[in-house]
Amino acid sequence: MEGRNFRALYDEAAKAFAQREWQHAEKLLREVIAQRPRHPEALHLLGIICVQTGRLDEGIGYLRQAVSLKTYFVEALGNLGAALVVRGQDPREAEDILRRAITLRPDHAISVSNLGRALHQQSKLDEAIAFYRQALKLRPDFAETHLRLAEALTQSGDLDAAITAGQTAVALAPHLIDAKSGLGIILNRVGRTKEAAALFRAVIAAEPRHIEAASNLVAAGNYDPDVGAAQSAEEHFAWGRQHGILASPEPTFTNPTDPEKRLRVGYLSADFCLHSVAFFLEPLLAHHGLNSIDAGVEPACYVLNRHSDAMTQRLRQQCPAWIEAWPLSDAQLAQRIRQDQIDILVDLAGHTTGNRLPMLAGRVAPVQVAYLGYPNTTGVPAIDYRITDAIADPPGTTDAWHSERLWRLPRTFLCYRPPEFATPVLPRPTDGPICFGSFNTITKINQPLLAAWARALSAVPNSRLLLKSTGMTSPSTRSRILAALTAANIAPERLELLEATKTMQDHLALYNRMDIALDTWPYNGTTTTCEALWMGVPVVTTAGQAHRSRVGMSLLTSVGLPELIAPDENAFPSLVAALANDRPRLAALRASLRDRMRASPLMDEPGFTRDVEAAYRAMWRQWCNR
């Protein structure tokens, strides 16, 4: 009688499972397991239900039991591997489980694809791409695998193939929101900003609460010369109204309200690695507590990047409070930050990849600050301040374009520490053709910019243009740039388009082939500008309206070169030509720029740290008074 009841229960549970009646199926399966605790099929189905209903850890536990009871249970192995991939905490275990599943069933396309994902999470790109392609041979209509393949190809630098894979994913599943969003990210990366924005808008139209697409849309606008400062601000404010408004009352904090206490300052970023942010953050971390004012600052780093490299280790040595935050959910991370009693939380991401703006919208620290990693407002009302300076954000001019209160440091909002391995500055030939150049990301290079660069080239006979970017791995991108410049009567032989170098040393050494660096707009260079100056290459920029278009001004003003700032885009080519035709001045700048930088506020690490800590102290005092 018990066996018959048991079998009937399991059959009914399996039927409810097949019809996706999760609640009913779970109730029946728990009754089955109460009678037969070691029933692998029931444990397997219950594990899937838990995963499908958001209880990932519980589901993984049941799937582990199923696999331990039935070693060759290929479906359970595949689903356990898939769940481990989704959780992402131990991709090596997921890889082992999925390899077992594929050994038992080599033609199981989903397991093959998930093995690609497990390898992808470990940055084993070549292997991941191979397994994605193997899965697509087994199941060519698998849109999600085409999307994963597109992501891996993007990271490997095969951008045109990535675009094709992304387009295939969208064609196979027009209603797959992530496919459109993923394709938009790739198109934006190669400078097809308007196409990317159209895809992000399509995603938002289908799913208004899609936070990632909404962030990608506002971030893409930073690169678009047709998106003015006021429009960009309104789009960020709209993001804040949709995704960044606190739904419940602000939390209370137990932080001691002593205005002179030692401040616990948390830095939140997905770029604690060899990334532009790190070159400007390292001086702060190195000097917090060493040259701090009054009671000083105790820093903590909340690390959102899984990838670790030599720069990660250098930063970690500067900050004992190093929290690997990437595995934590927003709720878990918010709880950790509050438990750590962080007084001031500094977001270094804005709307860039891996951000936690929705968490910040819930206010996880008494004072929240935006800084460094994003050239615009966040639109999040709970972020109180944005650190800048009076050149990048002139008082009374850009304030209305920010949801945060602008906090202007007295000299500069940036402090640059050049790489220790930078090659020596070599002199340039005094009688050879002038070489202009830009090593900015291809996303910053647009049609009006290329037209201005072409006018500068035309004004300097026999001059050349050297461009280098990861986007140059895309033949279609190279063709687009060449077409724009040749249409402006610049002969192709005057142009050299290079892919990214393998090492930072090689990247910096390339500046020895350049006489003058051309800044980009509307999104100026930052790290590339500092690198060029450090390598003896003067940079010419323009005076734009908003922060994204005034960072070059801030940097050049900081090092005492305001004469290299064109008042507008129309004046840019003539200023470039005038500098190019003054060979003695170019030689003098090349020989003196490193010393000029060392003596400037841009590299005054102790003084800059004092300025930042004074800002933190004033912000904290205001909170205590409030």
Side-chain angles (χ1 to χ4, degrees), residues 363-606:
R363 186 172 293 280
V364 294
V367 178
Q368 298 190 148
V369 180
Y371 176 53
L372 190 56
Y374 189 68
N376 212 324
T377 182
T378 63
V380 177
I383 297 180
D384 306 288
Y385 303 99
R386 185 169 184 277
I387 293 176
T388 183
D389 62 41
I391 302 295
D393 287 282
T397 301
T398 62
D399 300 76
W401 297 330
H402 291 82
S403 59
E404 308 87 0
R405 175 184 169 187
L406 295 181
W407 196 287
R408 296 172 176 88
L409 298 182
R411 299 181 300 168
T412 174
F413 81 101
L414 293 168
C415 184
Y416 176 66
R417 176 180 285 192
E420 295 175 354
F421 47 74
T423 56
V425 175
L426 302 180
R428 290 284 296 156
T430 57
D431 55 354
I434 287 289
C435 183
F436 301 119
S438 173
F439 294 165
N440 279 285
T441 173
I442 204 72
T443 317
K444 294 183 178 181
I445 298 177
N446 53 68
Q447 198 71 24
L449 181 75
L450 289 170
W453 287 358
R455 291 196 298 275
L457 284 162
S458 296
V460 183
N462 302 318
S463 60
R464 299 175 55 81
L465 178 63
L466 173 64
L467 303 180
K468 181 181 75 67
S469 170
T470 54
M472 294 301 180
T473 57
S474 161
S476 64
T477 299
R478 294 165 63 91
S479 297
R480 176 168 54 85
I481 291 172
L482 285 169
L485 291 168
T486 53
N489 298 316
I490 303 300
E493 57 267 24
R494 296 175 67 183
L495 310 173
E496 188 172 3
L497 310 183
L498 301 180
E499 300 175 8
T501 54
K502 292 184 178 180
T503 68
M504 275 293 295
Q505 292 94 325
D506 292 339
H507 164 73
L508 293 171
L510 272 178
Y511 282 103
N512 282 317
R513 295 180 53 192
M514 192 187 300
D515 294 293
I516 299 172
L518 307 179
D519 201 1
T520 52
W521 67 76
Y523 196 154
N524 290 168
T526 306
T527 307
T528 49
T529 296
C530 292
E531 288 171 347
L533 296 172
W534 185 249
M535 293 304 300
V537 181
V539 182
V540 180
T541 190
T542 60
Q545 277 191 308
H547 182 99
R548 60 175 175 162
S549 305
R550 298 179 64 88
V551 171
M553 287 186 68
S554 176
L555 292 169
L556 290 175
T557 301
S558 179
V559 298
L561 291 171
E563 65 272 19
L564 298 184
I565 303 166
D568 54 43
E569 296 160 15
N570 292 328
F572 178 84
S574 59
L575 179 58
V576 170
L579 180 61
N581 290 323
D582 192 342
R583 296 292 185 113
R585 185 179 175 211
L586 278 177
L589 282 171
R590 194 171 195 87
S592 64
L593 272 174
R594 281 197 178 179
D595 288 339
R596 182 187 290 265
M597 288 182 73
R598 289 190 187 100
S600 75
L602 185 61
M603 289 183 62
D604 178 9
E605 295 185 5

Side-chain angles (χ1 to χ4, degrees), residues 246-329:
L246 187 65
S248 56
E250 286 197 4
T252 56
F253 294 97
T254 59
N255 305 51
T257 55
D258 175 4
E260 310 307 320
K261 69 187 284 287
R262 184 171 176 82
L263 293 175
R264 293 183 59 80
V265 176
Y267 291 99
L268 180 69
S269 178
D271 298 318
F272 290 109
C273 54
L274 192 60
H275 183 277
S276 297
V277 164
F279 292 111
F280 300 95
L281 179 64
E282 187 178 14
L284 263 182
L285 291 182
H287 288 272
H288 276 325
L290 299 177
N291 297 280
S292 56
I293 61 169
D294 50 61
V297 163
E298 180 183 346
C301 291
Y302 294 89
V303 184
L304 299 176
N305 48 288
R306 300 184 188 191
H307 170 70
S308 175
D309 55 26
M311 176 61 83
T312 309
Q313 298 311 312
R314 280 172 54 180
L315 295 174
R316 188 168 192 165
Q317 290 173 3
Q318 306 285 2
C319 187
W322 187 268
I323 299 95
E324 297 284 353
W326 59 265
L328 304 179
S329 67

Side-chain angles (χ1 to χ4, degrees), residues 27-98:
K27 177 178 179 297
L28 295 171
L29 287 167
R30 291 193 182 279
E31 292 183 39
V32 170
I33 293 168
Q35 290 189 32
R36 302 284 179 89
R38 295 174 59 81
H39 192 283
E41 285 78 8
L43 290 164
H44 174 226
L45 295 184
L46 182 56
I48 295 173
I49 290 172
C50 289
V51 170
Q52 291 289 340
T53 54
R55 293 167 288 163
L56 191 58
D57 288 343
E58 184 180 359
I60 287 172
Y62 288 122
L63 291 168
R64 286 192 198 281
Q65 290 182 57
V67 168
S68 67
L69 291 167
K70 191 175 179 180
T71 308
Y72 299 103
F73 194 169
V74 65
E75 290 83 2
L77 284 167
N79 285 315
L80 174 57
L84 290 169
V85 164
V86 170
R87 187 169 68 175
Q89 292 182 2
D90 192 350
R92 287 173 295 182
E93 182 188 8
E95 177 188 348
D96 292 342
I97 294 289
L98 289 161

Side-chain angles (χ1 to χ4, degrees), residues 164-359:
T164 299
Q167 290 170 333
T168 302
V170 172
L172 286 170
H175 302 297
L176 182 60
I177 287 175
D178 287 346
K180 289 182 179 178
S181 183
L183 177 58
I185 291 169
I186 301 168
L187 291 174
N188 192 55
R189 182 163 179 169
V190 297
R192 293 163 64 175
T193 303
K194 293 187 187 301
E195 295 172 74
L199 284 166
F200 297 143
R201 288 192 179 94
V203 171
I204 295 165
E207 179 50 71
R209 298 297 300 174
H210 198 291
I211 294 178
E212 181 184 1
S215 276
N216 287 334
L217 177 60
V218 297
N222 292 317
Y223 300 93
D224 191 340
D226 294 327
V227 176
Q231 178 185 341
S232 179
E234 179 49 42
E235 289 178 351
H236 283 80
F237 297 159
W239 188 97
R241 290 191 294 269
Q242 178 76 349
H243 306 288
I245 302 257
L246 187 65
S248 56
E250 286 197 4
T252 56
F253 294 97
T254 59
N255 305 51
T257 55
D258 175 4
E260 310 307 320
K261 69 187 284 287
R262 184 171 176 82
L263 293 175
R264 293 183 59 80
V265 176
Y267 291 99
L268 180 69
S269 178
D271 298 318
F272 290 109
C273 54
L274 192 60
H275 183 277
S276 297
V277 164
F279 292 111
F280 300 95
L281 179 64
E282 187 178 14
L284 263 182
L285 291 182
H287 288 272
H288 276 325
L290 299 177
N291 297 280
S292 56
I293 61 169
D294 50 61
V297 163
E298 180 183 346
C301 291
Y302 294 89
V303 184
L304 299 176
N305 48 288
R306 300 184 188 191
H307 170 70
S308 175
D309 55 26
M311 176 61 83
T312 309
Q313 298 311 312
R314 280 172 54 180
L315 295 174
R316 188 168 192 165
Q317 290 173 3
Q318 306 285 2
C319 187
W322 187 268
I323 299 95
E324 297 284 353
W326 59 265
L328 304 179
S329 67
D330 280 359
Q332 291 169 331
L333 180 53
Q335 183 180 16
R336 173 62 190 268
I337 291 170
R338 288 173 182 140
Q339 286 177 347
D340 291 344
Q341 291 205 317
I342 295 299
D343 301 307
I344 299 176
L345 183 63
V346 184
D347 174 57
L348 303 175
H351 287 277
T352 60
T353 302
N355 75 76
R356 295 295 184 99
L357 289 180
M359 179 193 74

